[in-house]
């Protein structure tokens, strides 16, 4: 296959940090190339170089056989390279059609709403949104549909190469399926797709070849047929990953550690009821908007609830703020670490100790030795690189940011750990470490409750699963019944047939 895009011996350093080391990468016309690697392996740097966000590299870069160097994303777009990043660049209040032509040289200078809708129609059809009204504000679409509008916007620039960076990271199962189908359609029509993802199942479903980056170096591209999940993981990590998920211990379910009674978070259809036991990891399964994440926020005081209470440590209450929950030893890690999980502009040491300032200060003055000792202890437990404690949290890779976001809660010695999307945007190696630590916490007597849209995560980590569908709690699965098929049926089609309705565990 003749390479449409080819990079040879590309290196990039930031001060003393060598992000890329003589990387080779290529993609052919109509090919779907998977780009995988651990967080910090260099994927983001490589993607920025290809898409014109970074031109401070050394090495050769050719497109259509011509040597190129893009000094800006606009120049890359003009040459036929476009990127859909994890953070959408849509304007919520503007219509779907307006967002399709929000930028780029192919956007009409003058257009009526109806003419803009007509011009947008073929691009919306190409991404599978032919049934979406182009006049409605984009904020009324689901997150998955917004992701498809983002791709339609790029297609309006008539690119040869599309870079999709974690396009399904924030999506539920049904929206993810639409994205994958769209990628395959675009490849069949001759577009070249660079697909960046941590989701191994997606990589094997749609990619023709896979390029692995490890420690800033590229491994020779392999066809997807040559590899399986264990061999790909070994290429990514440089070692074999024995078990992604820790073993399930026997849980003694006599007295609940936490009971949720008639808690009704704003935005859901009905109150929720469940209990979690010491040593248990309870999984809340559901698609985005199902209510699984909302109930965690309500328990922690981060979301208002219309009614209900929780019973914990002999008390019956419902936290009105995260501060109240923290004071009772309830830790909550949200699904957006950059928004409310970390202080990205502050040092890692401050992030790791932030929930327990009272324990390391006297009359408002922080004891610096106590702060460092606490950060060292908790950072080590979550395999954070403690030699970088004085660096800003924002410079860490996604996996290491998530370790800090979780590890900081050890400072309050929690007995209840609530985690929404524990490994979103995290590579396979860091995932295994996070899963192992959550199991360690449970084995020490804590109760872990996590919400996830990742079916593999739910089926592999949870000792018991409660499923949610469109704001309702619809079912429960014991460990022996937790399979991808059962979980998927409950969260996507729970009321299909009466004889197939939810099996409830007593």
């Amino acid at each position: 296959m003749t390479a449409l895009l080819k990079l040879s011996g590309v290196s990039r350093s930031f001060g003393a940090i060598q992000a890329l080391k003589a990387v080779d990468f290529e993609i052919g016309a109509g090919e779907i190339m998977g780009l995988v690697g651990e967080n910090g392996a260099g994927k983001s740097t490589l993607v920025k170089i290809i898409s014109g966000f970074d031109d401070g590299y050394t090495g050769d870069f050719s497109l259509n056989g011509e040597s190129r160097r893009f000094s800006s994303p606009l120049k890359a777009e003009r040459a036929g390279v476009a990127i859909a990043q994890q953070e959408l660049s849509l304007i919520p209040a503007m219509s779907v059609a307006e967002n399709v032509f929000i930028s780029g040289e192919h956007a009409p200078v003058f257009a009526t709403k109806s003419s803009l809708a007509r011009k947008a129609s073929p691009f919306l059809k190409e991404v599978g949104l032919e049934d979406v009204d182009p006049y409605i504000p984009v904020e009324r679409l689901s997150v998955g549909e917004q992701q498809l509008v983002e791709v339609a916007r790029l297609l309006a620039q008539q690119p040869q190469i599309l870079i999709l960076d974690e396009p399904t990271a924030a999506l539920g199962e049904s929206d993810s399926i639409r994205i994958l189908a769209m990628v395959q359609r675009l490849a069949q029509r001759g577009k070249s797709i660079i697909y960046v993802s941590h989701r191994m199942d997606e990589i094997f479903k749609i990619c023709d070849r896979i390029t692995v980056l490890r420690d800033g170096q590229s491994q020779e591209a392999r066809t997807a047929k040559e590899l399986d999940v264990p061999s790909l993981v070994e290429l990514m990590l440089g070692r074999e990953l024995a078990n992604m998920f820790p073993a399930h211990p026997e849980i003694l379910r006599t007295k609940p550690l936490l009971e949720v009674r008639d808690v009704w978070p704003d935005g859901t259809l009905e109150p929720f009821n469940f209990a979690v036991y010491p040593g248990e990891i309870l999984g809340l399964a559901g698609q985005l908007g199902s209510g699984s994440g909302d109930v965690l926020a309500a328990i922690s005081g981060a979301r208002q609830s219309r009614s209900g209470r929780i019973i914990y440590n002999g008390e019956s209450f419902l936290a009105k703020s995260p501060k109240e929950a923290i004071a009772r030893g309830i830790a909550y890690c949200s699904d957006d670490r950059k928004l409310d999980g970390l202080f990205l502009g502050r040092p890692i040491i401050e992030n790791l100790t932030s929930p327990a300032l009272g324990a390391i200060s006297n009359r408002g003055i922080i004891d610096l030795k106590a702060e460092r000792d606490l950060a060292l202890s908790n950072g080590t437990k979550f395999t954070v690189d403690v030699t970088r404690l004085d660096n800003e949290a924002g410079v860490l890779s996604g996996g290491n940011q998530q370790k800090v976001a979780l590890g900081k809660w050890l400072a309050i010695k929690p007995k209840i750990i609530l985690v929404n999307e524990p490994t979103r945007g995290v590579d396979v190696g860091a995932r295994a470490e996070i899963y192992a630590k959550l199991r360690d916490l449970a084995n020490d007597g804590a109760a872990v409750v996590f919400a996830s849209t990742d079916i593999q995560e739910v089926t592999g980590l949870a000792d018991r699963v409660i499923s949610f569908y469109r704001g309702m709690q619809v079912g429960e699965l014991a460990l022996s019944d937790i399979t991808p098929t059962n979980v998927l049926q409950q969260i996507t089609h729970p009321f299909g047939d009466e004889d197939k309705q939810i099996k409830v565990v007593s």
Side-chain angles (χ1 to χ4, degrees):
M1 179 185 293
T2 303
L4 175 64
L5 170 78
K6 185 172 183 177
L7 284 75
S8 303
V10 169
S11 298
R12 181 68 167 106
S13 59
F14 300 91
I17 299 173
Q18 189 78 23
L20 296 178
K21 308 167 189 173
V23 165
D24 296 328
F25 180 85
E26 66 175 36
I27 185 171
E31 182 179 25
I32 305 174
M33 174 66 81
L35 180 59
V36 301
E38 289 190 274
N39 289 113
K43 301 187 301 298
S44 295
T45 303
L46 180 61
V47 162
K48 286 177 180 177
I49 289 172
I50 296 172
S51 57
F53 284 89
D54 185 351
D55 67 345
Y57 61 92
T58 59
D60 298 323
F61 182 140
S62 65
L63 179 66
N64 288 318
E66 296 182 13
S67 180
R68 306 300 293 259
R69 179 181 288 264
F70 303 131
S71 58
S72 71
L74 178 59
K75 291 185 177 179
E77 281 190 7
R78 286 173 176 168
V81 180
I83 181 171
Q85 301 186 79
Q86 291 184 45
E87 291 79 19
L88 299 179
S89 57
L90 306 176
I91 299 178
M94 296 183 71
S95 73
V96 171
E98 288 169 333
N99 272 282
V100 170
F101 294 108
I102 198 69
S103 65
E105 295 185 334
H106 297 280
V109 178
F110 299 104
T112 63
K113 288 185 177 181
S114 58
S115 67
L116 208 58
R118 285 195 303 272
K119 289 178 181 292
S121 179
F123 304 113
L124 294 173
K125 183 177 181 179
E126 200 163 0
V127 298
L129 292 180
E130 60 268 25
D131 295 328
V132 168
D133 183 352
Y135 297 101
I136 66 170
V138 77
E139 62 190 354
R140 291 174 55 185
L141 303 181
S142 71
V143 178
E145 288 171 331
Q146 290 182 30
Q147 186 79 53
L148 291 170
V149 172
E150 178 84 356
V151 177
R153 183 185 68 79
L154 297 179
L155 293 178
Q157 312 306 318
Q158 302 177 11
Q160 296 174 283
I161 298 170
L162 274 173
I163 305 171
L164 302 181
D165 188 5
E166 295 282 357
T168 63
L171 304 184
E173 191 72 16
S174 59
D175 280 335
S176 295
I177 290 170
R178 295 181 72 175
I179 295 290
L180 299 183
M182 177 269 297
V183 171
Q184 291 175 314
R185 282 197 306 272
L186 293 178
Q188 289 168 2
R189 295 171 188 173
K191 303 293 184 186
S192 301
I193 315 289
I194 300 173
Y195 194 85
V196 185
S197 180
H198 289 303
R199 294 186 172 182
M200 298 291 101
D201 57 332
E202 294 180 357
I203 292 293
F204 283 104
K205 278 179 185 175
I206 64 170
C207 293
D208 301 307
R209 290 192 296 161
I210 303 169
T211 297
V212 175
L213 291 184
R214 187 173 76 228
D215 297 328
Q217 296 179 304
S218 58
Q219 313 299 307
E220 184 180 357
R222 309 273 191 92
T223 64
K225 294 177 181 178
E226 290 180 64
L227 300 167
D228 55 18
V229 172
S231 59
L232 180 57
V233 169
E234 189 171 349
L235 279 174
M236 290 169 59
L237 304 182
R239 65 184 189 280
E240 185 177 352
L241 185 64
N243 292 298
M244 172 69 77
F245 299 101
H248 295 275
E250 188 170 342
I251 308 296
L252 187 63
R253 295 186 176 91
T254 52
K255 183 180 179 181
L257 185 58
L258 175 77
E259 294 179 73
V260 176
R261 295 189 179 178
D262 294 320
V263 171
W264 195 344
D266 284 352
T268 59
L269 292 182
E270 63 182 22
F272 302 140
N273 291 275
F274 58 86
V276 60
Y277 297 84
E280 182 179 39
I281 298 181
L282 176 65
L284 307 185
Q287 301 188 75
L288 287 175
S290 66
S292 58
D294 297 323
V295 70
L296 294 185
I299 295 169
S300 70
R303 189 182 185 91
Q304 288 190 335
S305 187
R306 282 174 272 183
S307 64
R309 59 197 173 101
I310 65 172
I311 299 174
Y312 171 60
N313 260 354
E315 290 186 85
S316 177
F317 66 96
L318 187 63
K320 293 181 173 59
S321 69
K323 182 179 180 181
E324 186 180 342
I326 291 169
R328 287 181 160 92
I330 298 175
Y332 169 62
C333 189
S334 82
D335 60 338
D336 192 338
R337 57 180 173 264
K338 292 184 178 180
L339 177 66
D340 53 18
L342 295 171
F343 302 104
L344 293 174
R346 303 303 302 168
I348 298 166
I349 186 172
E350 293 181 10
N351 277 273
L352 283 169
T353 56
S354 58
L357 291 178
I360 58 170
S361 61
N362 183 22
R363 297 181 181 180
I365 305 299
I366 292 178
D367 182 334
L368 297 181
K369 183 179 184 305
E371 178 187 44
R372 188 162 293 273
D373 288 346
L374 181 60
L376 281 168
S377 173
N378 294 340
T380 301
K381 289 174 183 175
F382 257 93
T383 62
V384 174
D385 184 357
V386 293
T387 64
R388 303 176 66 186
L389 288 180
D390 296 314
N391 292 359
E392 290 183 3
V395 304
L396 295 175
S397 66
N400 286 319
Q401 285 185 5
Q402 187 70 358
K403 290 180 189 177
V404 174
L406 286 164
K408 71 178 186 181
W409 292 112
L410 298 181
I412 65 170
K413 299 180 173 60
K415 298 305 289 182
I416 303 291
I417 298 106
L418 312 173
V419 191
N420 195 359
E421 302 290 354
T423 60
R424 175 175 287 171
V426 173
D427 69 78
V428 63
R431 280 185 177 217
E433 293 174 349
I434 289 171
Y435 296 150
K437 189 57 201 175
L438 291 177
R439 179 59 69 187
D440 288 344
L441 292 169
N443 289 343
D444 289 339
V448 178
V449 187
F450 75 94
S452 179
T453 55
D454 187 324
I455 300 297
Q456 182 187 36
E457 185 167 80
V458 170
T459 56
L461 183 61
D463 300 315
R464 185 165 51 101
V465 171
I466 294 174
S467 52
F468 294 77
Y469 177 76
R470 295 186 177 180
M472 299 176 285
Q473 181 179 334
V474 293
E476 187 172 330
L477 294 167
L479 179 60
S480 59
D481 296 321
I482 299 174
T483 65
T485 300
N486 288 346
V487 173
L488 192 58
Q489 186 269 328
Q490 290 196 359
I491 67 173
T492 60
H493 197 60
F495 309 125
D497 299 298
E498 288 188 4
D499 62 332
K500 292 182 181 179
Q501 283 204 28
I502 312 307
K503 178 180 179 182
V504 178
V505 180
S506 59

